[in-house]
Amino acid sequence: LIAVVFSMASAMFFEWLYRKLLHKPQMIGDLSAAVTGVLLAFVCPVTLPYWMLIVGNFFAIFLVKQLYGGIGCNFLNPALAGRAALVACYASAMTSWSKVDAATGATPMALLKAGDMEALTAAYPIKDMAIGFISGSAGEVSALMLLIGGVYLIVRKVISWQTPVAYIATVAVVTFLFPRGNDPMTFMLYNVLGGGLFLGAFFMATDYVTSPVTKKGQLIFGLGCGLITVFIRYFGSYPEGVCYSILIMNCCTWII
């Protein structure tokens, strides 16, 4: 909670500072910077030093959002771009996770990447994956809470269903059809419930500014995010692919 509040405050400060220095009208009242700060904290380890959150928010607000003209003009999701910058600069700190009992350990995605399904199922049963008794960032531990929040946004018509449904369904179908020598249903469930899939699908891929505005385009966008996520998990050196899949598809939004 402290990390989230700190990140949110620093993001709002950088937005205020940038517009103050360039003598532009202040827009921190729209709370878009606050959302960026919250999401950035959600995709970082809870043990990340606060000064690194400051660096990430500076990159997200100053370089990704405001230099392109502010809200409505940036072509990348600021929070994910900030996370990508932190991973590039501070890889060790960004890949150090705490377990529920406060001891550091491999995340479900790391075990899934290694193909150690026996250790994965022993350490993290499916029920724990759904509820949130697992290692990972604040925004990826509880699939159930993220699902409730995502459904709420859809019901309230804050977001449309096309992108998150297409995204999650694509990951589910591909991992079920190509389980890499494992039980298809188990392998699919760990891929869907693990990592930042639900957070990315509901709260980041649906960003108004960086995603398509047409319903057909949103389906294509979600499909692309799902495929790239699976490709990174299967063939990349990184165990997770949600962040980079959304950033890559952000760059394709204009043509979609």
Side-chain angles (χ1 to χ4, degrees):
L1 178 60
I2 295 173
V4 170
V5 173
F6 187 86
S7 181
M8 179 174 63
S10 61
M12 296 182 71
F13 170 75
F14 284 129
E15 177 142 312
W16 171 85
L17 179 63
Y18 181 96
R19 302 191 76 82
K20 181 73 172 178
L21 292 175
L22 272 70
H23 305 289
K24 294 178 177 290
Q26 289 295 339
M27 300 181 66
I28 59 172
D30 63 16
L31 298 182
S32 62
V35 172
T36 295
V38 170
L39 290 176
L40 180 61
F42 272 20
V43 295
C44 293
V46 296
T47 54
L48 192 73
Y50 293 157
W51 68 265
M52 290 187 186
L53 283 174
I54 293 177
V55 172
N57 279 295
F58 173 81
F59 188 89
I61 299 298
F62 253 67
L63 304 182
V64 177
K65 182 181 179 183
Q66 291 298 334
L67 280 182
Y68 283 93
I71 188 169
C73 300
N74 52 286
F75 72 96
L76 293 177
N77 183 292
L80 289 178
R83 183 189 187 281
L86 288 175
V87 171
C89 297
Y90 312 109
S92 178
M94 286 294 291
T95 54
S96 178
W97 308 99
S98 293
K99 297 179 70 173
V100 179
D101 60 6
T104 58
T107 64
M109 300 312 297
L111 293 173
L112 192 65
K113 180 69 176 178
D116 193 349
M117 294 298 294
E118 183 177 351
L120 176 59
T121 54
Y124 304 107
I126 290 293
K127 182 180 70 172
D128 289 356
M129 296 285 294
I131 296 175
F133 295 119
I134 63 173
S135 304
S137 65
E140 69 180 22
V141 291
S142 180
L144 177 61
M145 292 294 102
L146 292 167
L147 179 61
I148 292 173
V151 171
Y152 174 79
L153 292 181
I154 293 174
V155 171
R156 290 294 303 273
K157 300 187 185 302
V158 176
I159 64 174
S160 59
W161 61 266
Q162 280 83 358
T163 293
V165 169
Y167 193 169
I168 296 170
T170 299
V171 173
V173 170
V174 175
T175 54
F176 182 82
L177 294 177
F178 304 97
R180 306 183 75 181
N182 302 294
D183 172 62
M185 182 59 68
T186 302
F187 189 73
M188 181 269 286
L189 286 174
Y190 275 102
N191 270 282
V192 170
L193 297 176
L197 179 60
F198 278 20
L199 180 71
F202 288 114
F203 299 95
M204 293 179 165
T206 54
D207 175 40
Y208 299 144
V209 182
T210 58
S211 61
V213 295
T214 65
K215 302 304 180 186
K216 182 178 179 181
Q218 291 166 4
L219 288 171
I220 296 172
F221 187 87
L223 174 65
C225 286
L227 289 174
I228 296 173
T229 296
V230 175
F231 292 161
I232 292 175
R233 290 181 178 182
Y234 276 28
F235 307 114
S237 58
Y238 194 56
E240 175 62 297
V242 171
C243 172
Y244 298 107
S245 69
I246 297 176
L247 289 174
I248 292 170
M249 292 305 295
N250 284 163
C251 297
C252 302
T253 293
W254 66 276
I255 197 169
I256 296 176

